[in-house]
Amino acid sequence: MTLRMTCETSPVTTTATPSVNDSVFLRACRGESVPHVPVWFMRQAGRSLPEYRKLREGVPMLESCFRPDMVIEFTMQPVRRHVVDAAILFSDIVVPLKAIGVDLDIVAGTGPVVAEPIRSADQLAQLRDIEPDDVIPIVESVKVVVDELGTTPLIGFAGAPFTLASYLIEGGPSKDHRLTKQFMYTNPDLWHALLARLAAIAGQFLRVQIEAGASAVQLFDSWAGNLSLADYDKYVKPHSAAVLSSVADLGVPRIHFGVGTGELLQSMGDAGADVVGVDWRVPLEEAAKRVGGGKALQGNLDSTALFAPTEVLNAKAAEVIESGRAAPGHIFNLGHGVLPATDPDALTRLVDFVHNYELASS
Ligand code: 1CP
């Protein structure tokens, strides 16, 4: 553990204007010293918040992602309510695909559903590059949000090629990803062509968000944990690496996250991440050994801990913070998204607990 944790009680008097670049979140991503562990939550926007449910009423999910008034409000809601250290753009991993004209929808209670699942080479033609006109509402939303956020950073995101391919091939959510793997094993050339196309689109979508003002990005490979390490390295890693390296020139931290990826952590870090997101299954101390390379970690409280009595929740959060000290930088998060039934007040109290942890215990 380096000099990451300090116990500053008051900032040194300075005339310099605080900037987003000095935010606790970005400092932790870079492995610099921080006054407290920064915290944000995957899926912090959305169904756990009554103010979200009220405004979303009658508006289809995907439509809301292309309406700047909604994107801006939904992105800001958890920041206002919980005072988290970063915002994440309200969007979805299928938004760039919709933006280039892929016929898909997000069905309530199910998730993304694709009208014509990809089965052949001709269907790859629809996966064209993103043009500036495709993403006007996203760019506008990011600009306004960044302005409203001031010194709080905005995280942009994209779905990684494997996770996007799984929806396009299966036609919707899948537990075993049988068709995806069948495609991968049966048509490796077409598979690599598909993933290369998706990597280009994901990279372009991250670039759009960074150029509009996002100060970090997260590549969600949510379902990569369904792959063996050998298959991940052979069929997936080169394409995720292409996405991450395509935005390297922009100099913002790149977070790489998946669920059930204990065996893939080192490989996901090697794909070019600055921060590796860890799910709740692997303690951060162990994850730090697996990832290595001076990379920061993000995670990894079990989302269901928010349903436990406060003492249990706090004890578990403390374990995560202590375990995170093994990494050069730690951003507190859940091991996956906020569950819709979560009490928002429990999230707010958790943010307070994380922010005050070091001060209270030293
Ligand atoms: O009606 C609703 O409110 C729909 C629920 C919902 C929401 C609020 C979906 C459908 N997407 C979202 C927003 C969303 N999606 C965010 C919001 C920003 C935030 O974190 O606050 C983010 C980051 C995503 C990204 C996303 N979409 C991922 C990667 C993150 C993860 O959870 O692993 C994935 C896999 C999706 C697909 C998706 N979209 C929606 C659902 C229910 C799903 C998962 C379906 C499945 O099980 O495959």
Side-chain angles (χ1 to χ4, degrees):
M1 173 76 195
T2 53
L3 285 176
R4 190 171 62 82
M5 292 285 177
T6 58
C7 289
E8 292 160 23
T9 44
S10 60
V12 179
T13 314
T14 167
T15 48
T17 326
S19 85
V20 71
N21 211 30
D22 300 322
S23 63
V24 179
F25 169 79
L26 289 178
R27 291 186 64 85
C29 288
R30 298 189 296 252
E32 296 167 7
S33 65
V34 285
H36 59 77
V37 176
V39 49
W40 71 280
F41 304 115
M42 291 184 276
R43 296 285 174 102
Q44 63 190 14
R47 287 170 299 172
S48 65
L49 301 184
E51 58 270 37
Y52 168 83
R53 293 198 296 267
K54 193 164 162 227
L55 206 62
R56 255 293 309 286
E57 231 168 80
V59 182
M61 172 64 194
L62 210 41
E63 186 185 322
S64 71
C65 294
F66 286 90
R67 280 184 49 177
D69 59 331
M70 292 206 152
V71 174
I72 296 159
E73 175 59 19
F74 293 154
T75 303
M76 294 304 296
Q77 280 176 352
V79 181
R80 282 190 218 115
R81 188 190 256 267
H82 307 306
V83 201
V84 279
D85 294 281
I88 182 158
L89 186 70
F90 181 81
S91 188
D92 192 85
I93 56 168
V94 296
V95 162
L97 300 178
K98 181 75 180 174
I100 58 169
V102 177
D103 188 357
L104 56 81
D105 200 2
I106 297 179
V107 177
T110 303
V113 174
V114 179
E116 286 173 35
I118 291 199
R119 299 284 143 81
S120 69
D122 341 324
Q123 287 170 291
L124 258 55
Q126 64 181 314
L127 299 175
R128 63 166 177 81
D129 284 345
I130 297 176
E131 301 292 340
D133 278 358
D134 301 325
V135 285
I136 291 167
I138 313 298
V139 171
E140 186 188 331
S141 302
V142 171
K143 285 183 176 163
V144 176
V145 162
V146 166
D147 199 41
E148 282 193 24
L149 281 169
T151 56
T152 302
L154 175 70
I155 304 168
F157 73 90
F162 174 77
T163 293
L164 289 177
S166 81
Y167 288 108
L168 288 175
I169 295 168
E170 305 281 342
S174 160
K175 282 209 165 64
D176 55 16
H177 298 95
R178 176 175 58 82
L179 298 174
T180 311
K181 291 185 185 181
Q182 183 182 37
F183 190 115
M184 183 172 95
Y185 296 136
T186 313
N187 312 299
D189 292 347
L190 191 51
W191 170 264
H192 284 296
L194 170 63
L195 263 73
R197 276 283 69 230
L198 293 171
I201 293 163
Q204 289 157 3
F205 195 57
L206 292 181
R207 180 168 289 269
V208 159
Q209 295 170 78
I210 300 166
E211 286 178 347
S215 358
V217 285
Q218 178 153 327
L219 189 63
F220 280 98
D221 210 352
S222 301
W223 313 137
N226 275 303
L227 295 162
S228 67
L229 177 60
D231 282 351
Y232 178 79
D233 283 348
K234 183 172 175 183
Y235 295 105
V236 173
K237 183 180 171 183
H239 302 289
S240 295
V243 179
L244 293 166
S245 73
S246 77
V247 293
D249 60 308
L250 298 171
V252 304
R254 297 156 297 172
I255 310 167
H256 197 186
F257 169 79
V259 182
T261 50
E263 302 306 319
L264 309 183
L265 286 173
Q266 183 176 18
S267 210
M268 289 181 72
D270 289 348
D274 303 297
V275 181
V276 175
V278 183
D279 87 354
W280 65 97
R281 295 172 176 93
V282 181
L284 292 179
E285 205 177 343
E286 171 59 25
K289 287 185 207 145
R290 296 186 191 182
V291 170
K295 294 180 200 299
L297 296 181
Q298 177 174 278
N300 70 345
L301 182 73
D302 190 328
S303 306
T304 62
L306 283 146
F307 296 82
T310 307
E311 324 78 77
V312 178
L313 169 62
N314 288 351
K316 286 188 161 296
E319 272 170 33
V320 168
I321 296 170
E322 290 298 336
S323 194
R325 289 178 182 238
H330 174 215
I331 299 108
F332 191 100
N333 206 313
L334 303 179
H336 196 188
V338 172
L339 296 169
T342 306
D343 172 6
D345 292 341
L347 285 168
T348 308
R349 286 195 299 268
L350 178 57
V351 171
D352 278 351
F353 179 82
V354 175
H355 282 169
N356 292 316
Y357 179 79
E358 194 64 22
L359 297 173
S361 69
S362 58

